[in-house]
Amino acid sequence: MTTDQAAPATTVDPFDAQQVRRATGPLADFNRVGVLGAADVHVATRLGRLGPETDTSVLLAVALTVRALRHGSVCLDLATVAQVTAVEGVDRAVVAALPWPEPTAWTAALERSPLVAVGADGAADRPLRRLGGLLYLDRYWRQERCIAEMLDRAAARPQPSVDAPRVAAAVARLFPAEDSDRQRLAAVVAAHRWVSVLAGGPGTGKTTTVAKLLAVLADQPGDPLRVAMAAPTGKAAARLTEAVAGVTSAMDAADQERLGTLKASTLHRLLGWKPGARGRFRHDRSNRLPYDVVVVDEASMVSLTLMARLAEALRDDCRLVLVGDPDQLASVEAGAVLGDLVAREATAPGVQPAGLEELVTRDLGDLTGTEQHAALHDGVVRLSHVHRFSGDILDLAEAVRSGRADDVLDVLARGGEAVEHVDLDGAVADEQLRGVRADTVAAGEDLVRAARSGDAAASLERLDRHRVLCAHREGAYGVRRWSLLMEEWLREAIDGYAREGRWYVGRPLMVTSNDYQLRLFNGDTGVVVQDGSGVRAAFRRDNVDDLLPVSRLSEVQTVHAMSVHRSQGSQFARVTLVLPPADSPLLTRELLYTAITRAKEHVRIVGTAEALAAAVRRPIARASGLRERG
């Protein structure tokens, strides 16, 4: 050890499965207070035996790197890990009092270790790699390097060849509205660059822009455009297909013919998933994807590993358009790729393609200097005009996104019709939850009425009237507890509710795994309705309401409440967000922003003012070297 700090005294539950009884030294100290889990300790111990490595500070670094990956980071930042590490239910003073190694001595120990390769040119057969102050598992460093090299190759190649007059004519034809300046800009930028990013919050017209920019590209001379659209989940892919079809149906016949029928798939299906291949796909660097343009929607949800697999499968003459909201929650796996790329591109020197500025001069007037540079030199365009909601919800979302905690509390305190704060400071009383109960019962009664009448379309519409969103899955603030509470309210309010067995009429459903045969995907929602011959499950697929025999459904669960992660890409008329205590590591600015922007008419936040302010002030801290790589 490189410090004489004493480990804090704690009471250990001998039956806690996360406690490693044979751990010693710093691994035991950090495991005892919950900073390290059993998996972190076991991986570090095993690698120490294989190394061999006996330096306890190195083994601690290995364990913390594994922990960082479990929490979404790509690597471990040795300089800041002691300050940013937080554990739910553990006082920060206890974490700070742990025997953290001194950073300089820690780095020196890692450089000497047989487990660690130093620098990009270090030994290729070591499980960890250190670059500067960042420590990676070697696999994740290579994935990050794969993405960075794809971006660097794209920037170094000559720009795509475009017929500028035809681009200008197509843009004028497809983007006639005065409020679509940034949409026009995004289309022109995508035409001139191999890699572009279309960013924006919910309701800013990202999907509309995607459909029209593809029409601009399809209008260029040459062979018919080969387009692939993809998303990280089947539900997101289905929504993208429906939305793009709706936009293209309003185009003139010539543009529709050039585009043809566009269908999105999951990224796994696009790359050619191979069962049992442990993350490898049919399409890779030796078998490239055969497309001229690849569009990835909901890119904020794409993990580092999956983005690396896509990067190595793209041809050098393929345009890549990444679409998403970098302010939303990132992938549940390691990495925040879209956010990293937006930040990386915004600070990289970049090269402006010749002739680009002449096509978009009139579209640059409302952009700041930073935004103009990002668009013209780095291919990043952020749509800003929100069409879906306005007023208090927009003010609240913007205050959260900008990290202005006082403004967030001010918006909620004004008591507008669209926003509401239920401050649960102390024991929860029935009176405090009266509004949540009223919304739950009103939506449930409408849903059951439509389901019992056999009206599938109305049932599915009413399914999205109100949704409770939680940060946690378990515990007092989790999905399970709130789902049980909501079902109890519905049983009390609706005669005969949920008394017909598992497949009761009006049961709200959520699919929990992909079923390609039924074309149902993880996250899809439906409802059990009364049919002339019994009960059926209603789902909306390809903009059509389908009734399926409930006997064919396997992986589904009742969905009264759902996690904020699960809600990404969805919209509800009214949203109730349940906040955990202020010390929960899951309580972040991105989680709060994502939940608020799911609501179209009304958002209610249930939680303490302390928890609300803590969320606004706590952006997700995911360590990554991607934005600095160049």
Side-chain angles (χ1 to χ4, degrees), residues 296-560:
V296 179
D297 194 20
E298 298 287 359
S300 64
M301 298 168 61
V302 181
S303 68
L304 176 79
T305 298
L306 194 54
M307 190 66 78
R309 297 292 177 257
L310 175 64
E312 69 179 6
L314 294 175
R315 298 183 340 188
D316 284 346
D317 59 351
C318 174
R319 286 182 177 87
L320 174 64
V321 182
L322 298 176
V323 184
D325 186 351
D327 299 308
Q328 285 190 22
L329 284 168
S331 166
V332 295
E333 300 178 51
V337 178
L338 183 67
D340 285 343
L341 294 189
V342 169
R344 179 187 193 269
E345 296 284 344
T347 57
V351 177
Q352 178 179 326
L356 172 57
E357 189 167 0
E358 289 77 2
L359 285 171
V360 294
T361 300
R362 73 189 183 100
D363 299 332
L364 302 176
D366 69 332
L367 302 184
T368 66
T370 300
E371 290 173 326
Q372 289 186 22
H373 185 277
L376 296 176
H377 295 264
D378 306 315
V380 178
V381 178
R382 184 188 287 268
L383 304 183
S384 60
H385 181 70
V386 179
H387 304 273
R388 185 173 296 162
F389 48 73
S390 59
D392 289 336
I393 294 179
L394 180 58
D395 292 345
L396 184 61
E398 281 300 305
V400 170
R401 190 176 72 85
S402 303
R404 306 192 310 270
D406 290 342
D407 290 349
V408 169
L409 295 173
D410 287 345
V411 172
L412 292 170
R414 345 195 256 241
E417 293 184 359
V419 298
E420 177 185 353
H421 180 211
V422 179
D423 192 346
L424 296 183
D425 192 3
V428 179
D430 290 342
E431 180 65 21
Q432 291 175 296
L433 299 181
R434 182 176 59 181
V436 187
R437 180 169 185 159
D439 277 349
T440 299
V441 171
E445 287 177 337
D446 284 348
L447 173 61
V448 171
R449 190 178 303 113
R452 288 176 177 175
S453 70
D455 190 337
S459 299
L460 291 169
E461 187 273 330
R462 286 159 175 74
L463 187 63
D464 293 336
R465 288 284 181 88
H466 174 245
R467 187 61 49 86
V468 170
L469 304 179
C470 305
H472 293 191
R473 295 188 182 278
E474 305 292 342
Y477 308 92
V479 171
R480 184 185 298 274
R481 185 259 181 180
W482 278 84
S483 290
L484 292 173
L485 179 61
M486 294 169 72
E487 185 154 314
E488 179 182 330
W489 290 339
L490 293 170
R491 287 177 183 270
E492 293 175 359
I494 302 173
D495 185 40
Y497 186 80
R499 307 246 196 276
E500 304 153 315
R502 180 186 181 194
W503 300 109
Y504 59 87
V505 177
R507 180 189 176 193
L509 304 172
M510 182 170 65
V511 178
T512 57
S513 65
N514 294 337
D515 187 329
Y516 291 103
Q517 184 176 4
L518 292 179
R519 290 183 296 118
L520 293 178
F521 303 101
N522 191 359
D524 282 352
T525 54
V527 60
V528 177
V529 301
Q530 182 69 51
D531 185 67
S533 57
V535 294
R536 294 287 187 272
F539 289 92
R540 182 161 295 155
R541 302 180 298 177
D542 298 332
N543 222 21
V544 175
D545 299 327
D546 283 345
L547 294 177
L548 303 173
V550 294
S551 60
R552 298 192 65 187
L553 302 179
S554 55
E555 302 296 328
V556 295
Q557 64 184 36
T558 304
V559 56
H560 294 300

Side-chain angles (χ1 to χ4, degrees), residues 91-365:
D91 190 280
R92 286 183 176 270
V94 174
V95 177
L98 287 166
W100 293 95
E102 191 277 322
T104 302
W106 206 2
T107 299
L110 290 168
E111 289 184 351
R112 296 190 301 267
S113 175
L115 296 177
V116 181
V118 179
D121 299 323
D125 59 349
R126 298 188 180 186
L128 289 97
R129 186 173 298 267
R130 187 186 69 80
L131 280 86
L134 302 179
L135 183 65
Y136 295 80
L137 290 185
D138 189 69
R139 167 189 173 186
Y140 292 91
W141 173 77
R142 293 183 182 279
Q143 291 173 359
E144 187 176 274
R145 184 176 69 168
C146 177
I147 297 172
E149 288 177 347
M150 180 271 290
L151 293 171
D152 294 340
R153 289 196 306 271
R157 288 196 302 275
Q159 70 184 62
S161 176
V162 295
D163 184 326
R166 289 189 69 160
V167 169
V171 167
R173 179 176 70 253
L174 292 159
F175 297 93
E178 288 302 318
D179 63 352
S180 64
D181 284 2
R182 293 193 179 192
Q183 295 182 5
R184 286 197 297 265
L185 176 62
V188 175
V189 166
H192 283 77
R193 301 193 66 88
W194 295 114
V195 179
S196 59
V197 176
L198 175 59
T204 52
K206 296 190 297 294
T207 306
T208 297
T209 306
V210 165
K212 292 183 176 182
L213 76 81
L214 289 175
V216 170
L217 296 177
D219 188 52
Q220 288 290 291
D223 296 331
L225 194 70
R226 294 171 296 179
V227 178
M229 299 192 308
T233 67
K235 182 179 180 180
R239 285 195 305 268
L240 178 60
T241 298
E242 293 174 10
V244 168
V247 177
T248 56
S249 66
M251 296 179 183
D252 62 35
D255 284 318
Q256 290 188 45
E257 182 178 356
R258 280 189 290 267
L259 280 176
T261 301
L262 297 175
K263 288 192 175 182
S265 70
T266 63
L267 276 167
H268 286 82
R269 177 168 280 190
L270 175 70
L271 292 171
W273 178 67
K274 296 190 295 185
R278 297 179 62 84
R280 304 304 302 188
F281 299 91
R282 287 191 297 105
H283 290 289
D284 54 21
R285 66 180 72 251
S286 62
N287 180 28
R288 304 295 177 99
L289 290 164
Y291 298 106
D292 303 308
V293 183
V294 171
V295 177
V296 179
D297 194 20
E298 298 287 359
S300 64
M301 298 168 61
V302 181
S303 68
L304 176 79
T305 298
L306 194 54
M307 190 66 78
R309 297 292 177 257
L310 175 64
E312 69 179 6
L314 294 175
R315 298 183 340 188
D316 284 346
D317 59 351
C318 174
R319 286 182 177 87
L320 174 64
V321 182
L322 298 176
V323 184
D325 186 351
D327 299 308
Q328 285 190 22
L329 284 168
S331 166
V332 295
E333 300 178 51
V337 178
L338 183 67
D340 285 343
L341 294 189
V342 169
R344 179 187 193 269
E345 296 284 344
T347 57
V351 177
Q352 178 179 326
L356 172 57
E357 189 167 0
E358 289 77 2
L359 285 171
V360 294
T361 300
R362 73 189 183 100
D363 299 332
L364 302 176

Side-chain angles (χ1 to χ4, degrees), residues 327-329 393 396-401 403-405 408-409 412 421 469 471 564-565 567 575 577-580 586-599 603-606 608-620:
D327 299 308
Q328 285 190 22
L329 284 168
I393 294 179
L396 184 61
E398 281 300 305
V400 170
R401 190 176 72 85
R404 306 192 310 270
V408 169
L409 295 173
L412 292 170
H421 180 211
L469 304 179
V564 178
H565 268 101
S567 75
V575 164
L577 169 64
V578 179
L579 294 181
L586 297 180
L587 189 60
T588 63
R589 182 185 303 169
E590 289 80 2
L591 179 134
L592 184 59
Y593 172 82
T594 300
I596 289 169
T597 54
R598 300 310 94 199
V603 60
R604 175 189 298 108
I605 299 177
V606 178
T608 66
E610 179 190 11
L612 188 56
V616 178
R617 297 183 178 125
R618 187 187 296 153
I620 289 177

